[in-house]
Amino acid sequence: MSEKKDFLRTIVEEDLKSGKYKEVVTRFPPEPNGFPHIGHAKSIAINFGIASDYQGHCNLRMDDTNPTKEDTKYVEALKDAVQWLGFDWGENVYFTSDYFTQIYDYAIQLIKMDKAYVDSVDEEQMRELRGTVTQAGKRSEFASRSIEENLDLFEKMKNGEFKDGEHVLRAKIDMGAANMKMRDPLLYRIRHAHHFRAGDAWCIYPMYDFAHCLSDYIEGVSHSICTLEFENNRDIYNWVLNTLGLEAPRPYQHEFARLGINYTVMSKRKLLELVDGGQVSGWDDPRMPTIAGYKRRGYTKESILNFCDQIGIAKANSMVDVAQLEFCIRDDLNKKVPRVMCVLDPLKVTIENYEGSEEIDASYYPHDVPKEGERKILFSKEIYIERDDFNENPPKGYFRLTPEQPVRLRHGFIITCKEVIKDTEDNIIEIKAQYHPDSKSGSDTSGIKVKSAIQWVSSKEAKEVEVRVYDRLYSNEAPTGLEDLNTNSLQVIKNALIEPAVILEKPDERFQFERQGYFYADPIDYTDEKPVFNKIVGLKDSWGKKTDDKPKVKEASKKQVNKVQVVGEVAAMTNEQQVLFDKYTKELKLNSEVSNILARDEKLSSFYEEALNELNSPIALANIVTNDVAKELKDKEINELKFTSVQIAQLIKIVDDGTISSKIAKQVFEDMTQSGTNPTKIVEDKGLVQISDPSIISPIIDEVIVKNPDNVEKFKAGNTKLLGFFVGQVLKTTGGKANPQVVNELVAQKLK
Ligand code: ATP
Ligand code: MG
């Protein structure tokens, strides 16, 4: 467990210390209506992680109260994901449907206490009676039914005497409550549908708000941890348990921020659309952000858990850069996997001055010499190199083979190009070359200078393999629909050539193909006849480094990567830098990329350390220092900056505590770089405090709705993508000050 506790662990510890609970019991409660995604991995890591940190228990519970969307195949996928991540739910998987009888009995109790009633208004009336954020609602005429009548009707509902939607059971709470969720929430609805476990035993199903708290209570859960969108449901959670007089120890709900990642969508419903629409090959398509997708692509569970650890647990929603996840897998595999050679786009090279063949010893871990493991590779007259490792008219800075420039064959000899053979259409089909016998890697006495080493395979022993190169599923950072799909997210290379050891020896299922990236033998399609490899991730982040704002075509960025990827080029750290690096990664839990930037730059690290003295928020501070402050320090010294490290700490503090949004923080930072004014003063003067009060936001939404009748219509006709449009308009109107989460929720409510 890390030394710095997150707020959930702090709560758990206090509850254990005060004796509120003898044992920590958490639960991971997915609805089995789709495969779990990386957001669920976060929830799994939190719930199972906390249970294990405090010697408690975490239940795996299928929240199966919606008969029309759920299926056993999703139950299996959920179990598989939890297991793969290395967690143990003990003997039983729990199902909310197993508690249907108990939950029904609790409903009867509420009716008998006159705390629940059968309502029979139609949906539209119900919505009207509910009121708005600024206006209290009214109870329907049916709320005055007698207890006997309610008991009778509820029993008939259960017995299937009514059609779907004819009646509902509602809690009798407060139609004037400021929290609209408390305006007599629904407890049960009629659904004549077959349930995948309960069969046809029920035709009424409890709503989340009723079933969840009771299931937690029945299972003896102590801490019911969920995501922020349930914040307003917490009042119902407590009302139900309190009203039923359920005794301590009883569970309490705590919320954390859900994970969002850019360049992807993260909701089972949206992912199901991709599966159903055939945009991907299935839930486990390696481009999917599902746990099954990552698993099939070749991600390790360590990389995913490490990612969950790095992003931490917070109370404010944020978007995490997918590059951070990619970094985690790269970081994990870099240490573990063997390096081999594969040529994706082969170009034949004939070595004119060589006959026969010879074996060369080649380490699997050339970057980590004490680590043992090597294979033999065959050198022969005819070899293949990567087509773009040869260039007849090389641009400046091209380090590989050209008519003038020799190159080293990795682990092997240096070769020089003698002749370029072309077909009738001027395509290069072969290179004739000479090798330098005294240039063998490890015993090179040739004195020839080369600028890089390239991968190659011998035509005598190379095996043909299929390689699937994946890119991000969406080309848009914040995708809203199918039109944002990246049309180049899958490239299938049918006849790449690989050295045979990869197939015969299989020292691991994951490899680094030198200079190409990390690859994984596809666990489903790989056969001995047709070996298939998935690209897990490239060697470097080729997206983040882009300078222009348009996404470059992939080929171009790949070439760029190759150019800088000369083996062993990164300078070693000094001892002091290494000490800082270790502190940042191990103590402060920064990711290695950020730690690397900080440790190697004295200006940045001293600025960072000063800020850290002011505010213990290592990750947020590291982010702003390595991104924003670093830009300012590029051509300045610290004492030339307009702002101080103390002010940066203040800025992060008001972001952390929710005073301003992180978007506004950028604006405040810009101001600080010009004026040197304190961030709190800037926020005050310019009125930038985040607006979370529904009574202020609500009229603005109303206005946007009135102004855009066409879009309202389209939305109601099913174009739910437009939700983003309305939210965007409201944010724009408030100059980015409105709390996006509140806006989202209110807009969704109003458009319902
Ligand atoms: P989806 O919208 O993808 O279906 P959900 O919230 O409906 O997600 P459930 O299956 O009901 O998913 O949730 C199981 C648990 O996982 C819940 O406690 C939920 O809060 C959590 N969870 C879901 N999505 C995320 C996320 N993106 N980040 C963190 N936790 C999440
Ligand atoms: Mg859901």
Side-chain angles (χ1 to χ4, degrees):
M1 200 191 338
S2 54
E3 271 170 36
K4 202 177 149 273
K5 278 188 293 290
D6 54 76
F7 78 96
L8 289 173
R9 282 175 170 81
T10 305
I11 293 171
V12 167
E13 262 179 37
E14 277 165 8
D15 286 349
L16 285 173
K17 220 184 277 166
S18 72
K20 188 167 172 185
Y21 305 106
K22 285 205 188 64
E23 192 195 12
V24 179
V25 181
T26 55
R27 83 286 170 269
F28 170 60
E31 184 185 351
N33 62 348
F35 274 51
H37 48 64
I38 182 94
H40 291 106
K42 176 175 177 178
S43 180
I44 292 170
I46 290 175
N47 281 299
F48 281 92
I50 288 180
S52 115
D53 281 355
Y54 297 96
Q55 289 79 48
H57 185 75
C58 178
N59 291 347
L60 173 59
R61 181 201 313 147
M62 302 297 154
D63 197 7
D64 56 347
T65 54
N66 182 357
T68 56
K69 304 233 165 91
E70 295 158 1
D71 198 291
T72 36
K73 70 173 181 247
Y74 301 133
V75 173
E76 290 312 308
L78 282 153
K79 284 160 69 177
D80 198 53
V82 173
Q83 217 156 27
W84 182 66
L85 288 172
F87 296 109
D88 178 11
W89 56 78
E91 263 167 44
N92 299 307
V93 174
Y94 295 94
F95 292 85
T96 303
S97 55
D98 287 345
Y99 314 137
F100 279 171
T101 306
Q102 270 162 290
I103 296 172
Y104 178 79
D105 291 342
Y106 280 124
I108 301 270
Q109 269 191 51
L110 283 182
I111 297 176
K112 287 185 176 163
M113 297 162 82
D114 198 22
K115 292 291 183 190
Y117 61 96
V118 174
D119 200 356
S120 314
V121 291
D122 63 28
E123 256 184 75
E124 199 182 319
Q125 272 174 301
M126 191 180 295
R127 201 179 316 126
E128 271 166 23
L129 288 169
R130 200 157 169 243
T132 64
V133 201
T134 47
Q135 247 176 357
K138 289 193 208 63
R139 228 164 230 156
S140 93
E141 55 188 298
F142 301 106
S144 54
R145 279 173 171 150
S146 70
I147 291 176
E148 289 67 34
E149 193 182 353
N150 281 321
L151 286 172
D152 179 54
L153 280 171
F154 190 50
E155 172 142 15
K156 287 181 173 150
M157 280 169 67
K158 176 179 172 247
N159 293 341
E161 296 183 27
F162 303 115
K163 289 200 280 297
D164 285 10
E166 234 177 302
H167 305 283
V168 290
L169 185 73
R170 298 179 74 167
K172 200 179 249 182
I173 308 183
D174 177 5
M175 289 304 288
N179 176 0
M180 286 183 70
K181 297 247 156 122
M182 289 291 271
R183 298 184 184 174
D184 292 7
L186 302 197
L187 303 180
Y188 266 93
R189 59 177 172 176
I190 304 173
R191 266 290 150 95
H192 289 274
H194 185 81
H195 186 281
F196 75 103
R197 290 187 83 245
D200 298 310
W202 295 88
C203 59
I204 53 171
Y205 290 92
M207 306 298 290
Y208 171 90
D209 282 321
F210 194 48
H212 203 87
C213 51
L214 290 172
S215 307
D216 283 346
Y217 182 79
I218 292 166
E219 288 175 14
V221 166
S222 59
H223 296 82
S224 180
I225 299 166
C226 64
T227 35
L228 276 174
E229 68 272 21
F230 293 103
E231 205 168 357
N232 289 340
N233 302 59
R234 194 201 314 138
D235 287 343
I236 311 178
Y237 190 102
N238 289 332
W239 182 90
V240 170
L241 298 186
N242 288 337
T243 307
L244 287 167
L246 297 175
E247 280 162 24
R250 52 151 278 204
Y252 283 88
Q253 177 184 308
H254 308 274
E255 309 90 22
F256 69 96
R258 73 193 280 126
L259 168 66
I261 294 190
N262 58 9
Y263 294 103
T264 194
V265 293
M266 193 100 84
S267 115
K268 284 178 264 145
R269 186 180 51 76
K270 288 188 187 160
L271 295 171
L272 176 64
E273 277 169 21
L274 297 177
V275 174
D276 284 348
Q279 273 84 19
V280 293
S281 65
W283 282 100
D284 68 346
D285 185 300
R287 292 165 294 178
M288 290 280 270
T290 52
I291 299 176
Y294 289 115
K295 182 177 163 191
R296 178 159 180 196
R297 179 142 167 188
Y299 272 70
T300 57
K301 69 168 198 207
E302 289 82 3
S303 65
I304 290 186
L305 292 174
N306 193 18
F307 172 72
C308 292
D309 202 40
Q310 280 186 11
I311 54 177
I313 307 175
K315 267 266 185 200
N317 281 320
S318 67
M319 188 60 89
V320 175
D321 194 338
V322 63
Q324 197 169 338
L325 176 61
E326 292 165 350
F327 174 82
C328 286
I329 182 64
R330 217 179 269 130
D331 193 45
D332 187 32
L333 297 181
N334 181 34
K335 291 167 277 188
K336 289 183 183 164
V337 306
R339 298 188 177 182
V340 298
M341 296 196 284
C342 178
V343 174
L344 297 181
D345 185 7
L347 172 64
K348 185 160 121 182
V349 176
T350 306
I351 316 280
E352 290 180 314
N353 59 341
Y354 189 84
E355 296 301 329
S357 63
E358 68 193 86
E359 285 185 327
I360 299 175
D361 292 333
S363 166
Y364 277 130
Y365 308 98
H367 57 298
D368 185 6
V369 179
K371 193 161 173 177
E372 282 180 27
E374 63 169 35
R375 79 290 191 190
K376 306 240 182 254
I377 49 181
L378 195 75
F379 181 65
S380 63
K381 188 176 180 72
E382 199 178 283
I383 65 168
Y384 287 95
I385 67 170
E386 205 68 64
R387 187 165 289 277
D388 70 0
D389 281 340
F390 173 77
N391 199 319
E392 245 187 324
N393 307 296
K396 201 162 166 281
Y398 186 86
F399 289 157
R400 295 160 278 163
L401 187 64
T402 74
E404 278 76 43
Q405 181 171 267
V407 77
R408 172 174 301 286
L409 300 174
R410 181 80 165 131
H411 299 295
F413 299 93
I414 293 173
I415 58 168
T416 300
C417 169
K418 288 291 164 196
E419 195 186 341
V420 181
I421 316 282
K422 296 183 178 174
D423 65 12
T424 49
E425 277 153 20
D426 219 30
N427 299 311
I428 301 175
I429 51 170
E430 185 185 348
I431 305 287
K432 299 229 185 267
Q434 290 202 331
Y435 90 117
H436 301 270
D438 50 357
S439 68
K440 189 164 168 194
S441 192
S443 55
D444 181 1
T445 55
S446 70
I448 302 170
K449 290 258 177 298
V450 290
K451 292 198 176 118
S452 70
I454 61 172
Q455 70 270 27
W456 57 282
V457 290
S458 158
S459 74
K460 270 208 173 122
E461 61 165 15
K463 292 265 179 296
E464 214 171 77
V465 295
E466 178 174 316
V467 175
R468 298 174 184 167
V469 178
Y470 300 104
D471 200 347
R472 294 180 182 169
L473 188 51
Y474 289 91
S475 47
N476 189 324
E477 192 167 352
T480 50
L482 295 181
E483 67 278 8
D484 292 326
L485 279 170
N486 175 6
T487 47
N488 286 320
S489 60
L490 170 61
Q491 184 197 354
V492 179
I493 300 171
K494 290 275 182 203
N495 35 23
L497 293 173
I498 205 161
E499 50 172 294
V502 177
I503 289 167
L504 301 175
E505 283 181 36
K506 286 212 187 102
D508 189 342
E509 290 158 331
R510 294 180 181 85
F511 303 89
Q512 183 190 120
F513 292 177
E514 292 212 37
R515 300 174 66 236
Q516 312 271 21
Y518 295 97
F519 292 80
Y520 182 52
D522 186 273
I524 293 172
D525 293 340
Y526 188 106
T527 61
D528 287 341
E529 294 73 49
K530 193 188 92 176
V532 178
F533 291 91
N534 294 326
K535 179 164 182 177
I536 308 169
V537 69
L539 291 173
K540 286 207 174 158
D541 178 11
S542 53
W543 282 69
K545 304 279 180 311
K546 284 181 311 228
T547 42
D548 52 1
D549 50 11
K550 258 201 229 131
K552 269 186 211 144
V553 251
K554 218 177 58 240
E555 267 318 294
S557 51
K558 198 172 104 201
K559 274 196 193 110
Q560 276 241 322
V561 172
N562 282 346
K563 197 167 79 194
V564 294
Q565 205 99 74
V566 181
V567 184
E569 229 189 14
V570 184
M573 285 192 195
T574 66
N575 282 343
E576 292 90 73
Q577 288 171 345
Q578 190 65 48
V579 170
L580 278 181
F581 181 83
D582 289 346
K583 168 177 160 190
Y584 293 156
T585 48
K586 296 197 183 110
E587 272 174 46
L588 302 183
K589 302 282 176 208
L590 307 183
N591 72 42
S592 339
E593 208 147 36
V594 168
S595 304
N596 187 36
I597 296 172
L598 285 174
R600 285 177 186 272
D601 188 318
E602 214 191 307
K603 277 197 287 190
L604 286 185
S605 59
S606 65
F607 190 97
Y608 176 63
E609 299 273 332
E610 277 173 29
L612 205 55
N613 271 339
E614 287 297 314
L615 177 74
N616 186 14
S617 185
I619 294 177
L621 283 173
N623 282 339
I624 191 168
V625 171
T626 52
N627 289 311
D628 309 276
V629 177
K631 276 189 207 123
E632 295 296 312
L633 278 176
K634 224 181 220 156
D635 42 17
K636 285 198 192 98
E637 292 304 317
I638 290 181
N639 58 18
E640 291 173 283
L641 293 175
K642 282 264 167 75
F643 55 87
T644 65
S645 51
V646 176
Q647 288 174 325
I648 291 297
Q650 286 168 351
L651 177 61
I652 294 302
K653 183 153 184 290
I654 55 179
V655 176
D656 281 354
D657 69 16
T659 308
I660 57 170
S661 65
S662 41
K663 191 165 177 175
I664 292 293
K666 296 257 175 224
Q667 192 183 325
V668 175
F669 178 78
E670 284 311 313
D671 196 320
M672 289 164 68
T673 62
Q674 303 297 323
S675 66
T677 313
N678 270 344
T680 40
K681 178 138 182 21
I682 297 173
V683 170
E684 235 167 68
D685 290 351
K686 301 201 163 167
L688 297 174
V689 174
Q690 178 158 267
I691 309 170
S692 300
D693 183 351
S695 67
I696 301 176
I697 297 175
S698 190
I700 302 172
I701 299 179
D702 293 342
E703 209 167 292
V704 171
I705 289 181
V706 170
K707 273 196 203 144
N708 295 284
D710 291 358
N711 279 343
V712 173
E713 200 131 298
K714 283 188 205 150
F715 181 88
K716 294 204 163 147
N719 187 353
T720 48
K721 274 188 320 218
L722 284 167
L723 191 70
F725 163 81
F726 289 106
V727 172
Q729 290 295 311
V730 175
L731 291 181
K732 211 163 123 193
T733 314
T734 59
K737 286 183 299 184
N739 182 330
Q741 196 205 323
V742 176
V743 176
N744 235 308
E745 212 171 86
L746 288 178
V747 170
Q749 258 173 31
K750 289 190 185 240
L751 287 176
K752 228 183 254 165

